[in-house]
Amino acid sequence: MLKIDMFSTATKVKGQGVGSAYTELIRLLKTHFPNEFAIEINRYNQADISHYHTINPTFYLSTFSHKRGRKIGYVHFLPETLEESLKLPVGLKQLFYRYVIAFYRRMDQIVVVNPTFIPELEKYGIPKDRITYIPNFVSKNEFHPVPTTEKHRLRTRYDYSERFTVVCTGQVQTRKGVFDFAKLAQANPDYQFIWVGGFSFGSMTAGYSELKHLVENPPANLSFPGIVEREHLVDYYNLADVFLLPSYNELFPMSVLEAFSCGLPVILRDLPLYQQIIAGYYAPAQTGTQMNDWLHRLATDPMEWERFHQKAVAASDRYSEDHLAHIWHDFYLQQAQLENAKGKSHVEK
């Protein structure tokens, strides 16, 4: 049985995608491969593979131990992707960014959730053959569509009216396009807008004061229910008619996969990273005006809504748990073989 040590503190911060991706992977491995992989969490015991999901200093120090086996780093962000998320003093920011890259360089293999990261990591001196792309996924058992009658019941339960409903889930951050979401709400008073999420990093969030003011004083048809426990997120997708994420900077958001899995038509700002991984599955928009046009089309044309519903279903199959289970299984076995080969070469020398 292959011994895999997982190192993560991602679940300590609620309402952010790294924790969701980590939780999904642990559950996948324990469900699909209970007799092939022995999983331990933050234990520092002898392992065949050590998989680092977060970059804690204690985890970095552990990479110098021979007990770690093959070291795998999960890259959910790069220094430049943090610019619009966190507000740090200049000196501390530079030090932290150098540390991030130093951590990645300590890994034997890097896993990225988006292929656009590969050339950027190469610029930091990490060879391409040490980088593997494995996309995120979600469980259809956890995120799935419900009948129309259940949609009505959910709206009543959460105190929403029977209006065309637009939902987004994610941290309240400027880079996520929260202000654009609010402008769309103002432009469409007959629609209902819901942003599920909050300030996972508190006042460290870039633009915190302005964002906090919006959350506390939103347009009448926009609500901010705050950070919701993961098991209740499915309710918000299922009470909505459309998922809209106006983000300017993303990796591979779990929220989009969750929306697909619930069969929701998805509208996204047409970022280059989406074009590489989910092109054809969502309604692309470059501007707020184009997003507004898509909302009107999906709200008034049942055939158009159904077309993007079917695209969501197709996307959820592509990024399903069953499909990704095989990919992760083969990846871990390959990494174990590489570690064994390295050990044999050292013995021969």
Side-chain angles (χ1 to χ4, degrees):
M1 185 177 284
L2 196 67
K3 174 74 183 308
I4 304 175
D5 276 2
M6 298 291 187
F7 292 95
S8 175
T9 56
T11 54
K12 289 185 177 181
V13 180
K14 292 185 178 181
Q16 43 91 32
V18 176
S20 298
Y22 165 72
T23 301
E24 289 281 7
L25 179 58
I26 296 296
R27 186 189 50 74
L28 176 147
L29 296 175
K30 289 185 175 181
T31 300
H32 290 264
F33 312 111
N35 300 317
E36 292 186 63
F37 300 150
I39 308 295
E40 287 192 345
I41 311 295
N42 299 337
R43 291 295 300 273
Y44 299 99
N45 294 325
Q46 185 74 44
D48 299 302
I49 290 174
S50 292
H51 191 159
Y52 295 89
H53 296 259
T54 55
I55 59 171
N56 304 54
T58 51
F59 296 166
Y60 178 77
L61 293 175
S62 77
T63 66
F64 294 91
S65 168
H66 294 300
K67 292 182 179 181
R68 297 281 55 81
R70 185 82 171 169
K71 298 183 291 294
I72 309 298
Y74 216 160
V75 175
H76 295 280
F77 60 86
L78 295 174
E80 51 267 33
T81 65
L82 295 173
E83 283 291 333
E84 297 176 350
S85 299
L86 297 178
K87 181 175 59 178
L88 298 171
V90 175
L92 180 60
K93 180 172 68 174
Q94 292 176 344
L95 181 63
F96 177 63
Y97 287 1
R98 286 199 296 269
Y99 169 74
V100 169
I101 299 305
F103 196 106
Y104 294 160
R105 286 173 175 164
R106 285 293 304 158
M107 300 297 107
D108 296 307
Q109 193 74 21
I110 289 290
V111 175
V112 296
V113 297
N114 195 291
T116 60
F117 272 22
I118 295 175
E120 300 305 315
L121 286 166
E122 287 185 276
K123 292 177 184 177
Y124 287 114
I126 299 175
K128 188 174 183 179
D129 62 2
R130 285 173 49 195
I131 308 171
T132 301
Y133 162 57
I134 302 179
N136 285 333
F137 64 93
V138 296
S139 169
K140 291 188 177 183
N141 292 327
E142 189 172 2
F143 291 93
H144 53 81
V146 298
T148 302
T149 53
E150 179 68 7
K151 181 186 291 285
H152 297 322
R153 190 189 70 79
L154 287 170
R155 288 183 176 179
T156 300
R157 175 183 172 186
Y158 289 99
D159 199 27
Y160 290 108
S161 63
E162 289 298 328
R163 290 185 287 173
F164 185 78
T165 302
V166 185
V167 72
C168 185
T169 63
Q171 296 181 59
V172 176
Q173 295 180 341
T174 303
R175 74 170 177 90
K176 290 278 188 179
V178 178
F179 292 116
D180 291 335
F181 196 79
K183 288 178 182 177
L184 287 167
Q186 289 177 318
N188 296 279
D190 294 335
Y191 298 166
Q192 193 164 239
F193 289 74
I194 308 169
W195 187 290
V196 184
F199 299 100
S200 296
F201 296 98
S203 59
M204 289 179 62
T205 304
Y208 176 74
S209 297
E210 295 83 359
L211 290 165
K212 189 171 185 291
H213 182 267
L214 172 62
V215 170
E216 294 175 348
N217 303 275
N221 61 329
L222 169 58
S223 70
F224 288 93
I227 296 175
V228 172
E229 293 295 336
R230 185 163 172 75
E231 60 266 27
H232 298 306
L233 271 179
V234 65
D235 292 345
Y236 284 89
Y237 291 116
N238 278 319
L239 65 79
D241 297 294
V242 167
F243 176 86
L244 189 154
L245 176 61
S247 183
Y248 291 89
N249 182 2
E250 281 294 344
L251 311 182
F252 195 144
M254 293 292 287
S255 59
V256 174
L257 297 184
E258 291 161 0
F260 282 149
S261 195
C262 292
L264 274 183
V266 169
I267 303 172
L268 301 174
R269 194 179 302 279
D270 200 21
L271 304 178
L273 64 94
Y274 295 144
Q275 295 165 10
Q276 286 202 35
I277 57 178
I278 49 175
Y281 294 119
Y282 63 94
Q286 294 288 354
T287 65
T289 299
Q290 291 175 351
M291 291 177 194
N292 199 48
D293 291 342
W294 276 116
L295 284 178
H296 287 197
R297 289 168 63 179
L298 293 168
T300 59
D301 187 342
M303 291 184 65
E304 189 76 338
W305 188 95
E306 179 63 24
R307 184 166 74 93
F308 279 92
H309 163 67
Q310 293 300 330
K311 288 176 178 287
V313 172
S316 70
D317 288 337
R318 179 177 178 182
Y319 295 105
S320 69
E321 175 181 334
D322 289 342
H323 177 58
L324 269 298
H326 295 293
I327 293 175
W328 276 109
H329 176 269
D330 294 346
F331 172 77
Y332 281 130
L333 292 184
Q334 179 192 50
Q335 294 304 307
Q337 291 172 357
L338 290 171
E339 184 65 16
N340 290 335
K342 184 174 72 174
K344 289 179 181 179
S345 67
H346 285 166
V347 171
E348 290 172 357
K349 289 179 181 179

